Structure formats: C-alpha cells, structure tokens
Amino acid sequence: MGSDVSRDYAELADGFLARIRAVPAGAWDNPSPCPGWTARDVVAHLVNGHRGFLFMAAGPAPAPADGVGVGPMAGAPPVAPGADLAAAFAHVRDDMLAMLADPARTALRLPGGPMGAAPIPQAVSVVGSVEVLVHTWDLARATGGDETLDPAQVARVHAAAGPYAAGLLATGAFDPPVEPPAGADAQTRFLCFLGRRP
C-alpha cells in the first residue's frame, strides 16, 4: 500500500502546487468556496493541516515557515505579506513524502479523526487525499484557474471517502452533502458529496 499511497499523494500534491503557481498576482484576496476564506487562506489552511498531520505522525511540532503561521488544523492561519505560498506547500509536500517513505512512521496510527485511529497510510490515502483534491478545486474556482480534477483520483477518493462521510462532516470542515444536478459528472458528484456547489 505504501508505494501506491505515496504515488497518489504526490500526484494530488503536485496538482495543487501547479494551481498555486498559476494564481495571478492580484487574485490572492479573491473569495473562495470555503466561507470566509480567500484564495490565500485555502493554501495556508492546507499547509497548516499538513504540518499538524506530520506532527501526529511523530514529526516536529508545527512552526511558522515561508510566511505561513500556525493555527488549529481546521482553520486558516495568518499569512505574512510577501509569503511564498508555493514554497510553503512544496516544503510540506516533501515532508509528507519523506514521512511516507519512513517505515517507523507509517507503522503508527493516528490518535483519532474522521476515520478513528487509522493507520497513517490509510489516513493519507483517504482524508489527506480528500483535503488536497477538494482544495485544488477551491483554489482554482477562487482564482480562475483550471478546475478540472484528475478523473481517476476523483473516482478513487470519492469511493474511499464514502464510508467516512459522517466522520468528515463531524469535523466541521465540510458542509453537508448537496444533491448533484441530474446527469452530473463524477467530479460534480464528488464535490457535491463534500458540500460544494460547483
């Protein structure tokens, strides 16, 4: 499972990083589909969430870096003027890949969360993938970027996350599912499952 999780995570993370790098300079304050958050907040949230996850996987305590502060995992931490958001995310992506390559860390289980006390690779494969994939769309929608998500990853993540719908909703990070329109494609159904209104 480990190599598959690493490959899937890298694919999703690289997609998100590409969307960060494509954001026009004047679009960072645009509102996002996440209520109360700007495009900048979406990236800061994902960076901050990665740091918290790495800490739970026997990593260092979260610390500000690249202009992105620290806050609760479900929130959006402060971002300094001139913060390098692409570098901030690239650094946590690299740290995640290093963690996934460490047998001692992947043998651990998370203390809790939407999936309960799940093994680290399973948590990355499900909850981690949900977060990166949906926020890729959020960032693209906020900034006029490419909203198209990888169809194979959409299918994989939606199927994997389905059994944990109640746990995801209980985190408060997602709105209740909405009914997809008739004839909706797989990406739209996935986004509606997570409370988005594409």
Side-chain angles (χ1 to χ4, degrees):
M1 182 182 188
S3 61
D4 289 344
V5 173
S6 294
R7 183 191 65 240
D8 287 333
Y9 171 77
E11 203 171 279
L12 293 174
D14 287 348
F16 186 70
L17 186 58
R19 300 317 194 284
I20 296 174
R21 289 173 171 157
V23 173
W28 283 111
D29 290 322
N30 290 1
S32 81
C34 305
W37 285 3
T38 64
R40 180 184 292 104
D41 293 329
V42 170
V43 179
H45 160 74
L46 205 50
V47 169
N48 185 66
H50 273 59
R51 292 173 182 159
F53 186 95
L54 289 159
F55 177 59
M56 290 190 289
D66 301 304
V68 179
V70 173
M73 282 182 70
V79 178
D84 190 338
L85 294 174
F89 185 74
H91 288 150
V92 294
R93 175 204 58 186
D94 293 348
D95 290 344
M96 284 285 286
L97 290 171
M99 181 271 292
L100 288 169
D102 183 343
R105 295 176 74 184
T106 56
L108 301 173
R109 299 175 77 90
L110 291 185
M115 302 174 66
I120 292 289
Q122 186 182 6
V124 173
S125 184
V126 180
V127 180
S129 293
V130 165
E131 281 279 295
V132 178
L133 197 54
V134 75
H135 289 315
T136 297
W137 181 83
D138 291 331
L139 182 61
R141 172 58 61 99
T143 60
D146 180 6
E147 296 182 15
T148 305
L149 304 175
D150 180 89
Q153 291 289 0
V154 167
R156 177 187 71 80
V157 177
H158 195 175
Y164 303 102
L168 290 168
L169 190 58
T171 65
F174 300 96
D175 289 333
V178 298
E179 187 68 26
D185 61 15
Q187 176 173 311
T188 299
R189 293 195 302 273
F190 170 68
L191 293 168
C192 289
F193 164 70
L194 296 171
R196 299 301 193 269
R197 298 178 182 273

